[in-house]
């Protein structure tokens, strides 16, 4: 019997990512009403978690959910694949986002923090990129969403907008972007040269 899981085309991974991406827009649109904005932030986090939970039964049944968003040229695509490991990562991140959103609302309000709308908006964008990393079907998709996650979290790192926060943000970008461009990107290109594919495959590339 083959140990390779069955692959099923499904838009569910995109639904989960669209929940947080649309949530970022919703948070931004309701920024002038803190109560409504915070309620939307919690609701969006709950919707994303629900979307991730929808993928649990088929994955536990041995299926892999797949969806291609953009196909540039042969072997180069922005594509997603949900297997057991990716789903575990996404489920953990989504559950923690819901809990963290509830906590951060109280924390930011208690501190009378500025730019609370920007904080929740960037958090939602970070979660979109995080699921992109979790569901990446190939190295190119993984790299693009990893970089997107780095850029989105920069605004969380520098949220206080103090000199210390900006200094930390500069270090954060230099460490993450610098090392990924210097090491990860060449490694991805080398992998493609050797294997002829960016795709993650059962047993390795």
């Amino acid at each position: 019997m083959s140990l390779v899981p069955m692959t099923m085309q499904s838009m569910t991974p995109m639904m989960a990512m669209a929940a947080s991406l649309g949530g970022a827009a919703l948070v931004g649109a309701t920024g002038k009403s803190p109560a409504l904005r915070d309620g939307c932030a919690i609701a969006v986090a709950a919707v994303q978690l629900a979307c991730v939970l929808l993928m649990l039964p088929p994955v536990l049944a041995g299926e892999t959910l797949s969806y291609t968003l953009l196909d540039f040229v042969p072997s180069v695509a922005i594509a997603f694949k949900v297997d057991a490991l990716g789903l575990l990562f996404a489920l953990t991140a989504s559950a923690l986002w819901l809990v963290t959103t509830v906590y951060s609302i109280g924390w930011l309000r208690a501190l009378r923090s500025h730019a609370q709308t920007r904080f929740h908006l960037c958090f939602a964008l970070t979660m979109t990129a995080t699921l992109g990393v979790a569901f990446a079907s190939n190295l190119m998709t993984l790299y693009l969403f990893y970089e997107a996650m780095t850029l989105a979290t920069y605004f969380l790192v520098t949220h206080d907008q103090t000199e210390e926060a900006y200094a930390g943000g500069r270090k954060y970008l230099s460490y993450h972007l610098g090392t990924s461009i210097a090491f990860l990107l060449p490694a991805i290109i080398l992998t493609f040269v050797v294997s002829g594919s960016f795709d993650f495959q059962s047993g390795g590339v």
Side-chain angles (χ1 to χ4, degrees):
M1 184 176 66
S2 175
L3 296 178
V4 179
M6 297 178 291
T7 300
M8 180 176 69
Q9 293 295 314
S10 173
M11 288 193 65
T12 319
M14 289 302 303
M15 289 170 53
M17 296 170 63
S20 51
L21 185 60
L26 186 60
V27 166
T30 57
K32 292 183 178 180
S33 174
L36 181 59
R37 176 202 62 207
D38 294 346
C40 288
I42 294 173
V44 167
V47 168
Q48 186 184 72
L49 178 58
C51 290
V52 173
L53 287 171
L54 283 175
M55 293 180 268
L56 196 56
V59 171
L60 289 178
E63 294 181 349
T64 297
L65 308 180
S66 178
Y67 186 80
T68 299
L69 180 62
L70 289 173
D71 202 347
F72 300 109
V73 294
S75 302
V76 181
I78 298 179
F80 306 99
K81 181 173 66 176
V82 184
D83 55 15
L85 182 60
L87 185 61
L88 176 63
F89 181 59
L91 187 59
T92 302
S94 297
L96 287 175
W97 184 33
L98 178 57
V99 174
T100 305
T101 297
V102 175
Y103 173 81
S104 63
I105 288 171
W107 175 63
L108 292 171
R109 285 190 175 189
L111 294 177
R112 299 184 183 276
S113 179
H114 73 295
Q116 295 184 32
T117 299
R118 185 188 65 203
F119 179 92
H120 292 297
L121 188 154
C122 290
F123 211 150
L125 292 177
T126 299
M127 284 304 303
T128 303
T130 299
L131 290 197
V133 170
F135 297 153
S137 178
N138 56 59
L139 286 168
M140 185 56 65
T141 303
L142 175 69
Y143 180 78
L144 291 175
F145 279 89
Y146 176 81
E147 297 291 33
M149 184 171 62
T150 299
L151 294 174
T153 49
Y154 167 80
F155 296 99
L156 301 179
V157 173
T158 61
H159 175 72
D160 287 340
Q161 295 184 296
T162 61
E163 286 299 323
E164 184 179 2
Y166 282 127
R170 287 191 293 271
K171 290 180 181 178
Y172 176 79
L173 283 183
S174 63
Y175 293 160
H176 284 265
L177 288 179
T179 54
S180 66
I181 292 172
F183 299 107
L184 180 57
L185 185 57
I188 290 173
I189 295 171
L190 179 61
T191 300
F192 181 80
V193 171
V194 172
S195 68
S197 174
F198 289 114
D199 292 343
F200 297 133
Q201 298 178 15
S202 182
V205 293

